[in-house]
Amino acid sequence: MKYVLVLDVAKGKSMFMLSSDIGEVLLEPTEHIHNKSYFEKIDSDINKLNIKDNLTVVMEATSIYHKAPERFFKENNYHVARCIKELESL
């Protein structure tokens, strides 16, 4: 089974949700501020589930706001995928 940790990134905080590829929610949507202790708590929750090898962290590349969570998850050996929002042309 594969898993995804989705982050809805905003200035200084993100909404986190963890689910499986069959739609099972493992961590309900929760808002966390961007600091090391909150990131470590999420990392601990993921390690307890023993799913890290089958997990992708997905977040939107929003200005600079995604940089703190992206750095934490990359430094802790997660597979990170950034979604880049394309500008719409008229």
Side-chain angles (χ1 to χ4, degrees):
M1 192 172 301
K2 295 189 181 193
Y3 303 90
V4 62
L5 177 68
V6 180
L7 284 71
D8 182 9
V9 181
K11 184 178 181 179
K13 62 184 178 181
S14 292
M15 187 68 83
F16 292 81
M17 186 188 84
L18 177 63
S19 67
S20 71
D21 58 355
I22 60 169
E24 176 187 9
V25 176
L26 288 92
L27 293 176
E28 292 288 334
T30 308
E31 186 175 271
H32 292 288
I33 59 172
H34 292 169
N35 70 31
K36 190 173 181 180
S37 64
Y38 281 110
F39 295 146
E40 288 173 341
K41 183 195 179 320
I42 294 164
D43 181 49
S44 174
D45 291 343
I46 290 167
N47 285 326
K48 287 176 189 172
L49 294 167
N50 198 28
I51 60 170
K52 189 172 178 177
D53 291 340
N54 296 311
L55 175 71
T56 299
V57 179
V58 178
M59 67 188 76
E60 181 183 3
T62 53
S63 181
I64 61 168
Y65 305 138
H66 70 283
K67 296 218 180 262
E70 179 184 43
R71 181 177 56 246
F72 176 84
F73 288 108
K74 282 185 173 181
E75 287 176 353
N76 286 279
N77 301 311
Y78 283 86
H79 177 255
V80 177
R82 284 185 298 153
C83 300
I84 299 173
K85 190 174 186 179
E86 292 184 34
L87 296 175
E88 295 181 22
S89 60
L90 300 174

